[in-house]
Amino acid sequence: MDTATDARLAAADVPCYHCGEEVPGGSHYGIEIDGAYRAMCCPGCAAVAQMIRGAGLERFYRQRTAYNDRPVDAAPAVAQFAVYDDPAVGDTFITQTEGGGASARLLLGGMSCAACSWLVETAVRAVPGVSAARVNLSQSRLDVDYDPAGCRPSELFHTLARLGYRPQPFRASAYRAQLQQEQRRDLRRLAIAGLGMMQVGMFAIALHAGDLQGIAPQYQS
């Protein structure tokens, strides 16, 4: 059995390196990052990780403090975002700047930590025609300054989607809707964690009581 096969078999015992979800048995979507095989649960996570590695941005994984969201689309096409190149649509989130430039304000779903800010800013700045990219993490907002002659809005959306984020024009209503969705998700996670801790607590109380009052070996184990 070769080393690559050993790594894939061992991958079943660890969570997905990108999103943290369970890796199905026999998964072959893992890739090498920082000199080690990293298990992935699906083609989407593998594609995003491949893009990050290919751009020389593996440092992101060493800096992040939370797992990323599982990507919605494994291979988003730039044509999916062509609607944002329409001037009528662009007027809702793009402003013209001095010297013929433009500034787009986007809302990003899936932002979780400062490492996400670094990844997004670094990747977007590498897009031809972009002169600046600034993330406001507290609002999941991205401001991009670019030259309309060298960059189209659809290219910005495409780059962000390939990183696994969910870009859309920044509007107050969209921001509120995303905030409410994330709050509901966090409440569900808290409820599940609370139920899990209750079960652990039941065993812990029994063991502590057993130390004081005595407990049969078969029940203790």
Side-chain angles (χ1 to χ4, degrees):
M1 188 177 296
D2 58 27
T3 304
T5 302
D6 288 338
R8 285 194 291 272
L9 291 175
D13 298 327
V14 298
C16 174
Y17 190 68
H18 184 76
C19 74
E21 295 190 14
E22 181 180 355
V23 176
S27 171
H28 59 279
Y29 297 117
I31 65 173
E32 184 176 311
I33 297 176
D34 284 337
Y37 180 86
R38 310 296 186 178
M40 305 287 169
C41 66
C42 65
C45 287
V48 172
Q50 183 70 49
M51 179 188 176
I52 292 173
R53 187 187 70 172
L57 302 175
E58 299 100 321
R59 172 183 164 193
F60 163 73
Y61 287 113
R62 298 192 296 270
Q63 292 182 327
R64 68 177 181 176
T65 57
Y67 284 115
N68 299 76
D69 288 351
R70 189 173 183 175
V72 176
D73 191 341
V78 68
Q80 294 178 223
F81 308 104
V83 63
Y84 299 116
D85 294 334
D86 187 321
V89 177
D91 287 344
T92 64
F93 67 97
I94 298 173
T95 57
Q96 304 304 312
T97 59
E98 295 181 1
S103 180
R105 176 161 288 184
L106 309 180
L107 178 66
L108 294 183
M111 297 277 287
S112 61
C113 64
C116 289
S117 300
W118 174 83
L119 178 65
V120 166
E121 290 177 349
T122 304
V124 171
R125 285 171 185 157
V127 175
V130 172
S131 57
R134 301 172 299 277
V135 168
N136 182 319
L137 184 58
S138 64
Q139 294 187 350
S140 300
R141 189 184 77 208
L142 170 65
D143 292 304
V144 184
D145 298 335
Y146 66 98
D147 179 4
C151 177
R152 293 174 298 167
S154 58
E155 295 172 14
L156 303 176
F157 282 84
H158 182 234
T159 297
L160 294 165
R162 289 184 63 203
L163 288 173
Y165 298 103
R166 301 182 298 278
Q168 61 178 305
F170 187 94
R171 302 185 183 96
S173 58
Y175 172 64
R176 287 194 297 270
Q178 178 171 295
L179 190 62
Q180 291 171 354
Q181 182 180 10
E182 291 178 350
Q183 288 174 339
R184 288 194 294 269
R185 181 193 62 187
D186 290 342
L187 284 173
R188 286 195 297 269
R189 289 176 172 175
L190 181 62
I192 292 172
L195 289 172
M197 288 303 298
M198 287 172 60
Q199 299 303 313
V200 174
M202 291 172 63
F203 286 107
I205 291 172
L207 289 172
H208 286 305
D211 283 340
L212 296 174
Q213 302 175 9
I215 184 171
Q218 65 266 32
Y219 300 127
Q220 185 177 28
S221 61

